[in-house]
Amino acid sequence: MEKVLEKIKELESGEVGIIIYSQVKQEILLSLNKELLLPLASAAKVAIAFCIAKLVEERNYKWTDIVEDVILNPEEDSYEVYPHFQSRENLALQDAVEVMIACHDSFVADRIVQFCGGWEMINTKIKSYFKNINITQNPRDLDNNGELSEMLELLRLIYQGYKTNPNLWTPIINGLVRQRGDIEGIPSHFLNHMTGGLDNVVVDIGIMGEFSKNPLLYVLGAKELPNRYKEKLADEIIIDAMKLLYVEYCNREVELENESLSNLNSAF
């Protein structure tokens, strides 16, 4: 993990934070600026989806409920990811949540939130779990923000929730799996995540590794960066950090396999 940390610290301007959590060890492996509060941009859609899942769990809504008057944001990539939804005006709540996450679709997010009680109600709901996460209708609003440690806990609850009750959490996981945020050198099925970004902000929340085994959960965020559309260095450093995290994951998988073999041989 030291190499990941060293790479992240190459960001000389702005503020950066990262938390890496081991699912198999149930512990944090790396933490830097865990209390960093940063704009979430599209990553806030994971918090919206968490609220909707909780409302479904409480039986206020069903995943099969129909959300009407859906318009897909033409500036996002649903045309490629969900070509079969392009002429649809109505979607099941579960499909709408999946599209919202997979395609970063703020139009669909707004329809989901309006369907489930409005932005004030959803924001109150998320704050009942995470006091330092605030979500707004406009994903580019700087008040659309959250604390790094709480975003990690949000992701952990979603991942563990899927393990124990997959029917409830499948729409969110489907969205994370289908998002097209690939990084060269990392197999796409080993990187299930949600990214967010503004001119001077980068956020990445996700699951690194084989989903059904021992993945690493991570949250990474940086703010007050040089304009990312003019200066690419910050993005390049973060991509390199993700590649190093993948290497770390692979090394740990080898260690776990060797440990299992050693235990098996000891049994005989």
Side-chain angles (χ1 to χ4, degrees), residues 238-263:
I238 288 172
I239 288 172
D240 287 345
M242 294 296 294
K243 291 178 179 179
L244 289 169
L245 178 57
Y246 174 64
V247 171
E248 184 70 29
Y249 161 77
C250 292
N251 291 340
R252 285 176 178 271
E253 278 298 287
V254 171
E255 290 175 6
L256 288 171
E257 288 177 10
N258 291 339
E259 189 176 304
S260 296
L261 286 173
S262 177
N263 292 337

Side-chain angles (χ1 to χ4, degrees), residues 208-222:
M208 177 71 77
E210 189 167 355
F211 191 97
S212 61
K213 289 190 175 180
N214 309 306
L216 300 174
L217 309 186
Y218 70 89
V219 293
L220 186 161

Side-chain angles (χ1 to χ4, degrees), residues 164-221:
T164 57
N165 187 2
N167 290 334
L168 177 63
W169 298 97
T170 287
I172 302 176
I173 296 300
N174 281 350
L176 293 174
V177 167
R178 296 194 73 164
Q179 190 193 175
R180 303 196 309 171
D182 295 348
I183 295 177
E184 185 179 357
I186 304 177
S188 59
H189 60 291
F190 278 8
L191 181 59
N192 304 303
H193 64 146
M194 183 73 179
T195 59
L198 301 173
D199 293 359
N200 61 349
V201 174
V202 176
V203 185
D204 197 338
I205 301 166
I207 302 162
M208 177 71 77
E210 189 167 355
F211 191 97
S212 61
K213 289 190 175 180
N214 309 306
L216 300 174
L217 309 186
Y218 70 89
V219 293
L220 186 161

Side-chain angles (χ1 to χ4, degrees), residues 22-33:
S22 168
Q23 178 58 31
V24 66
K25 291 188 175 182
Q26 300 280 295
E27 67 180 24
I28 290 174
L29 303 178
L30 175 64
S31 177
L32 173 69
N33 293 340

